[in-house]
Amino acid sequence: MHLRSYTAPMATTALWTILRHTAAFAPVARQPACLSCSSQPSTIRAAHSLSRPTTPSAASFRSSITSLFSAVEEEVDPGVVEGTDLRVLKYPHPALRASNDEIPAEDLTGPGSDISKIAKEMFLVMYATKGVGLAAPQVGINKRLMVYNDTGDAKKWMRETVMVNPKIVEYSEAKDVEEEGCLSFPGMGGEVERSKWIKVEAQNLKGKKIKKKYKGWEARIFQHEYDHLDGTVYIDRLTEDGRKEVQPKLDDLVTTFGEGGEI
C-alpha cells in the first residue's frame, strides 16, 4: 500500500485548519475526504459559499491544496533491492490471485527462522518502494503473511508489525471512503470503502497469539493487505466508474508484463 496514504491525512488536517479560518467556507458538516495513496492528487469535498468579495478565490484554494501535497512522496519501483531477491509482482501475475497457505506452528520459531527472514526481506522491499504495507503474495510467496509500518519510515522500526495467519474477526458497521493505490498496480488509484475499525487475531513470528483492534489509518492498511491474502486486490473494490477509469492502465500492464505479470 502506498506511502501517500499516510502523509495525505496530515496534509488534509492542515488544510481543514486553514478552511476553518477562511470565510469562504461556511461551518457546515464535513464530507468524507478522499485521501490519496497513489499518484493522483487528493480532493476535498466541502459545501461552501462565498460570503464577500475579499475571500480567497477558487484558484487560490486549489493552489493551497497543491502546495500542501507537493512534498508528498509517491511509490516507486526500486527494481533490484539490496539484501533480497524478492521483487514486487505486477498485475496480472497469477500469484496475486492464488490461494495462500497458513503457516504451520512448527515454522514459527522466532528470529533466524525462514519465515522471520522472509518478513525481514519484505520490509526491505516495502521501504524501497515507499510503501507502508506488503503482503507475501505480492512478492510471489503464497503464504498468509503480511508486514507493515504505518509511518513508512525504516528508521521508526519500532512501528514494524508482522502478522502471521491473520484473521479479521469483527468489522465496524461504520465505513469511510478514501483513495488507495497498490504497489502491484503502479500509477493508479481509486476510492475504496473500508470499515473504520476492525478486530484482528493473528500470530507473531514466535507463534504467540495476537489480538488487536485497529482504527482509522491502521485499520485501512490492515484491510488492504489482508485482502491480498484472500486473493483480492484493491481494483476489486472500486466502484463501476472507478474501475472504468483505471481499465486503460490495467490493459497497459497486461500489454507490458503479459499474462504472467512480472517478478
Side-chain angles (χ1 to χ4, degrees):
M1 191 167 175
H2 296 171
L3 176 60
R4 201 161 198 179
S5 283
Y6 169 68
T7 49
M10 296 189 298
T12 303
T13 300
L15 179 58
W16 276 100
T17 301
I18 294 171
L19 297 184
R20 284 198 300 269
H21 294 86
T22 302
F25 288 80
V28 296
R30 175 180 169 182
Q31 301 298 315
C34 166
L35 304 181
S36 174
C37 46
S38 73
S39 58
Q40 301 176 359
S42 272
T43 56
I44 302 297
R45 303 184 187 90
H48 65 280
S49 59
L50 294 175
S51 58
R52 56 180 181 268
T54 57
T55 55
S57 66
S60 65
F61 173 57
R62 287 192 297 270
S63 176
S64 296
I65 295 176
T66 301
S67 63
L68 278 168
F69 288 98
S70 61
V72 174
E73 287 189 88
E74 298 178 11
E75 79 284 358
V76 298
D77 185 348
V80 176
V81 178
E82 185 177 354
T84 179
D85 292 328
L86 299 181
R87 304 287 181 272
V88 176
L89 303 179
K90 307 296 192 303
Y91 174 88
H93 197 285
L96 297 173
R97 296 293 195 184
S99 60
N100 296 288
D101 298 329
E102 287 208 355
I103 298 170
E106 55 266 29
D107 291 349
L108 301 177
T109 57
S113 67
D114 288 343
I115 296 300
S116 179
K117 292 176 182 177
I118 290 172
K120 182 178 180 180
E121 291 185 30
M122 286 173 63
F123 275 118
L124 292 177
V125 174
M126 187 194 79
Y127 291 131
T129 59
K130 307 296 184 185
V132 294
L134 191 66
Q138 290 182 275
V139 290
I141 299 171
N142 288 116
K143 296 185 180 296
R144 299 189 72 81
L145 173 68
M146 54 183 280
V147 303
Y148 74 87
N149 178 337
D150 64 327
T151 71
D153 186 349
K155 295 178 181 178
K156 297 180 179 179
W157 56 270
M158 290 293 289
R159 300 290 298 179
E160 292 182 352
T161 299
V162 179
M163 289 285 193
V164 180
N165 301 328
K167 298 177 182 177
I168 299 178
V169 296
E170 187 176 350
Y171 294 84
S172 69
E173 292 185 6
K175 313 277 187 180
D176 60 13
V177 177
E178 295 179 7
E179 188 163 326
E180 292 184 11
C182 180
L183 301 172
S184 296
F185 294 82
M188 66 184 78
E191 291 186 341
V192 176
E193 182 181 80
R194 302 278 188 191
S195 291
K196 288 188 175 182
W197 60 259
I198 53 173
K199 291 183 179 179
V200 172
E201 294 180 0
Q203 294 168 277
N204 65 14
L205 291 169
K206 294 182 179 180
K208 182 179 179 181
K209 291 184 179 180
I210 302 168
K211 291 185 178 182
K212 297 196 71 172
K213 180 178 180 178
Y214 290 110
K215 298 184 290 184
W217 169 231
E218 283 191 276
R220 180 165 290 271
I221 298 175
F222 190 96
Q223 290 172 83
H224 180 105
E225 303 307 334
Y226 183 79
D227 271 353
H228 279 294
L229 303 186
D230 286 340
T232 299
V233 291
Y234 96 100
I235 59 170
D236 299 334
R237 298 193 179 276
L238 297 178
T239 63
E240 184 176 348
D241 287 343
R243 182 57 181 260
K244 287 180 180 178
E245 186 175 339
V246 301
Q247 191 60 51
K249 291 184 178 180
L250 295 176
D251 294 339
D252 287 344
L253 286 174
V254 173
T255 299
T256 300
F257 299 123
E259 292 298 333
E262 179 189 61
I263 185 167

